[in-house]
């Protein structure tokens, strides 16, 4: 071993040997409040913890959907007479409004002028080719 490595090992040995905790001398400032533990927010650190939260949320949503469906079925059973009346109103031929005939204004351009315009368009296409 060369001198640098020996010196490095000697310093490391000295640091490890000096492991007695000496209390520091009192300073100018009061540090009694700084000894309280720091509160850390616990975030999920593993995939299992993350998946567990998501699964709980998905299970809760599925349970709530089932409850809503059950409530809707119960409400439909209890409200059957009014549902039948409403369906009858929709199917009643008297309440269905008949459509009137569509009234369009008269043509502004007669048929023979439209045919002439079409012939001019065809002729111009043939001339371009």
């Amino acid at each position: 071993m060369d001198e640098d490595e020996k010196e490095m090992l000697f310093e490391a040995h000295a640091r490890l040997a000096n492991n007695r905790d000496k209390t520091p001398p009192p300073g100018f400032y009061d540090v009694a409040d700084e000894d309280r533990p720091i509160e850390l927010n616990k975030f999920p650190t593993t995939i299992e913890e993350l998946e567990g939260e998501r699964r709980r949320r998905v299970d809760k949503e599925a349970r709530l959907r089932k409850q809503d469906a059950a409530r809707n079925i119960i409400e439909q059973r209890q409200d059957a007479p009014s549902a039948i009346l409403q369906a009858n109103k929709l199917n009643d031929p008297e309440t269905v409004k008949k459509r009137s005939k569509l009234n369009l204004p008269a043509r502004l351009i007669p048929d023979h002028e439209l045919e002439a315009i079409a012939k001019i368009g065809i002729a111009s296409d043939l001339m371009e080719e």
Side-chain angles (χ1 to χ4, degrees):
M1 295 170 93
D2 63 347
E3 284 297 314
D4 290 338
E5 290 177 348
K6 289 181 181 178
E7 184 179 347
M8 196 166 46
L9 284 175
F10 178 74
E11 287 178 5
H13 179 69
R15 279 195 305 270
L16 289 173
N18 189 11
N19 60 4
R20 289 186 223 138
D21 296 334
K22 296 180 182 176
T23 57
F28 296 110
Y29 302 102
D30 182 25
V31 292
D33 293 338
E34 295 178 7
D35 291 337
R36 61 189 157 107
I38 299 172
E39 296 178 11
L40 297 176
N41 293 335
K42 186 176 183 311
F43 295 105
T45 56
T46 63
I47 294 176
E48 290 81 21
E49 289 176 358
L50 288 171
E51 290 291 321
E53 289 178 7
R54 192 179 92 211
R55 285 184 186 155
R56 281 181 269 164
R57 185 180 70 231
V58 169
D59 291 342
K60 183 178 179 182
E61 289 174 357
R63 187 175 63 250
L64 291 175
R65 272 192 231 106
K66 287 181 183 178
Q67 288 176 353
D68 288 342
R71 283 188 197 124
N72 289 339
I73 291 171
I74 291 170
E75 287 178 6
Q76 288 174 356
R77 287 181 186 164
Q78 292 175 349
D79 199 27
S82 66
I84 292 171
L85 290 174
Q86 186 178 5
N88 286 342
K89 285 181 183 177
L90 292 174
N91 293 331
D92 188 15
E94 293 177 3
T95 59
V96 176
K97 186 176 181 181
K98 293 185 179 181
R99 293 185 182 183
S100 62
K101 187 174 180 182
L102 185 62
N103 294 326
L104 295 176
R107 291 187 193 177
L108 299 175
I109 302 174
D111 287 338
H112 66 279
E113 289 182 14
L114 285 174
E115 290 174 4
I117 293 171
K119 287 179 184 176
I120 293 171
I122 292 172
S124 67
D125 288 342
L126 291 176
M127 291 178 76
E128 290 176 3
E129 292 178 359

